Amino acid sequence: MSYHFNGADIASDEEGYLTDLSLWNPELALLIAKDEKIEMSDEHWEVVNFLREYYDEYQIAPAIRVLTKALKKKLGEEKSSNKYLYELFPYGPAKQACKIAGLPKPTGCV
Amino acid sequence: MSDTKRFLYVNRKAPHGTVYALESLEVVLIGAAFEQDVSLAFLDDGVFQLVKKQVTTGIGVKNFAPTYRALGDYDVKKLYVERESLAERGLTEDDLMEVTHENDDEEDVSSIEIVDRARMAQIMAAQDVVLSF
Amino acid sequence: MSTLHTVNKSPYERGSLDSCLAHALPGDAVLLIEDAVVGARAGSTRVAEALKAAMPGCTIHVLGPDLAARGIPADAVVEGVSVVDYGGFVDLAATHDKSQAWL
């Protein structure tokens, strides 16, 4: 699979996760989000950017419970509840947000 | 929880030359979802897995060393490192990276405990399940 | 007839380096790569002593990118051991008659 972006094919795995995360950029994120039927708002970006920072530091896409815990610390209770995150990313916050962030599928999802 | 078991992951291989270290780390992260009593042991060449400032760009493999620092987020808080194994390899505690977790008072405290060989043997003996890498 | 010996297993885990050093002849070169580079770290270790003892006869080398991957600074290797890059690896292979791997 791949995303057609700026006249090029950006490769992804069969679930739509980028195979080379260095090819990610914010415009490509919008395209992936569109495929996921998500219109990116500031709140969406907050989560996506957080995931990218987490990956940058730990070289890992966090599992959902790790994501909520870490978000709570950074953004507070309101913006880290499961309800809030599922409203932003209905098909699973960790999975969808990671895909849009250009990261691999989260480690520790069972 | 009465059905909680004590799990020990035993790491005895240097990183990067074989896949054992990465495999172990991935199993630990996935296994963390099951909320068991998890500890990690680093002995023999396994102590090299926690050495700081690993740079893998020159050998073309992903550097998973920073991921050890995420273990605290996954509620894995006990990393035992064998003192004799460090010394035999010319290493000291200062050569190891910092791995921390948040305690009940929300303070970051070290997850790494240096233990001697006799104590490591006791730790191993006290487990319900030992997984070797 | 000189030989480049390569060792890729940790000397703390296997006897490959010991066996290599026991068989290497004067004029040979020994190159530590992959997990074997952990043996090149300076210190009062059994392996450091073995490398020093071998050095009047053989030259000992260690591959820099593998050292870096294991967090060992180039200036922390046993005295007399030279750190080489991939080009240096090729040079060693080219300047010896054959190479022999100790797996």
Side-chain angles (χ1 to χ4, degrees):
Chain A
M1 266 181 64
S2 64
Y3 295 98
H4 303 283
F5 178 71
N6 276 355
D9 282 335
I10 312 280
S12 69
D13 67 12
E14 66 274 15
E15 293 177 273
Y17 294 87
L18 293 191
T19 46
D20 180 354
L21 62 115
S22 71
L23 297 177
W24 184 92
N25 62 57
E27 291 78 38
L28 179 56
L30 291 176
L31 182 69
I32 301 171
K34 205 174 154 194
D35 265 26
E36 295 285 320
K37 302 193 170 42
I38 284 173
E39 186 146 352
M40 293 293 284
S41 65
D42 288 350
E43 286 75 23
H44 289 96
W45 277 114
E46 219 165 36
V47 177
V48 165
N49 288 332
F50 179 84
L51 281 169
R52 289 192 59 84
E53 284 164 26
Y54 196 93
Y55 191 89
D56 200 44
E57 180 158 3
Y58 299 115
Q59 298 297 302
I60 187 182
I64 176 66
R65 68 186 189 290
V66 175
L67 172 65
T68 50
K69 205 163 64 178
L71 274 175
K72 186 177 166 185
K73 221 164 141 185
K74 179 152 181 181
L75 303 174
E77 191 91 50
E78 203 176 301
K79 288 189 164 183
S80 61
S81 72
N82 269 323
K83 182 172 177 293
Y84 173 80
L85 292 170
Y86 270 93
E87 274 166 10
L88 291 177
F89 302 99
Y91 290 95
K95 285 178 190 172
Q96 272 190 313
C98 281
K99 196 184 287 185
I100 295 165
L103 306 182
K105 204 170 167 172
T107 303
C109 273
V110 283
Chain B
M1 201 162 40
S2 60
D3 55 354
T4 299
K5 288 196 163 145
R6 292 168 63 91
F7 278 71
L8 180 70
Y9 294 84
V10 176
N11 300 288
R12 296 185 47 251
K13 305 274 195 266
H16 312 307
T18 59
V19 81
Y20 289 99
L22 176 58
E23 289 277 308
S24 172
L25 186 54
E26 290 192 335
V27 175
V28 169
L29 292 171
I30 293 164
F34 297 103
E35 297 184 354
Q36 301 293 309
D37 180 4
V38 173
S39 333
L40 274 57
F42 296 86
L43 62 152
D44 300 336
D45 278 346
V47 297
F48 285 109
Q49 294 177 25
L50 295 179
V51 168
K52 61 187 170 194
K53 292 182 185 154
Q54 299 176 39
V55 180
T56 61
T57 43
I59 60 169
V61 302
K62 178 179 159 169
N63 187 9
F64 54 88
T67 307
Y68 291 102
R69 294 190 293 105
L71 285 170
D73 291 345
Y74 282 75
D75 289 323
V76 175
K77 302 168 180 175
K78 291 179 284 188
L79 278 62
Y80 299 108
V81 180
E82 189 176 271
R83 189 185 312 281
E84 290 86 344
S85 295
L86 287 172
E88 284 159 9
R89 287 157 182 79
L91 294 168
T92 69
E93 191 173 356
D94 291 340
D95 293 307
L96 304 182
M97 65 176 87
E98 271 185 37
V99 181
T100 62
H101 64 272
E102 216 172 64
N103 67 10
D104 294 338
D105 298 325
E106 298 193 352
E107 299 159 335
D108 283 332
V109 293
S110 178
S111 304
I112 293 179
E113 186 182 340
I114 311 289
V115 299
D116 62 26
R117 195 162 271 157
R119 166 110 172 89
M120 186 64 93
Q122 293 301 320
I123 290 166
M124 290 171 168
Q127 304 299 319
D128 296 306
V129 181
V130 175
L131 295 149
S132 301
F133 291 89
Chain C
M1 285 291 282
S2 68
T3 299
L4 168 65
H5 302 270
T6 61
V7 183
N8 74 339
K9 300 296 190 302
S10 165
Y12 295 106
E13 186 173 284
R14 302 217 205 164
S16 310
L17 178 63
D18 288 331
S19 193
C20 168
L21 294 177
H23 294 87
L25 298 174
D28 286 355
V30 176
L31 173 64
L32 309 178
I33 60 172
E34 299 172 23
D35 281 348
V37 302
V38 301
R41 180 185 268 276
S44 52
T45 68
R46 178 182 68 75
V47 176
E49 294 309 315
L51 290 176
K52 284 184 210 157
M55 264 187 291
C58 303
T59 57
I60 313 268
H61 313 266
V62 59
L63 194 60
D66 278 320
L67 274 182
R70 288 155 188 84
I72 304 171
D75 58 7
V77 302
V78 172
E79 199 183 341
V81 172
S82 80
V83 179
V84 300
D85 58 11
Y86 290 112
F89 189 166
V90 173
D91 290 341
L92 283 169
T95 52
H96 293 79
D97 298 300
K98 64 177 188 303
S99 62
Q100 178 174 352
W102 297 79
L103 303 176

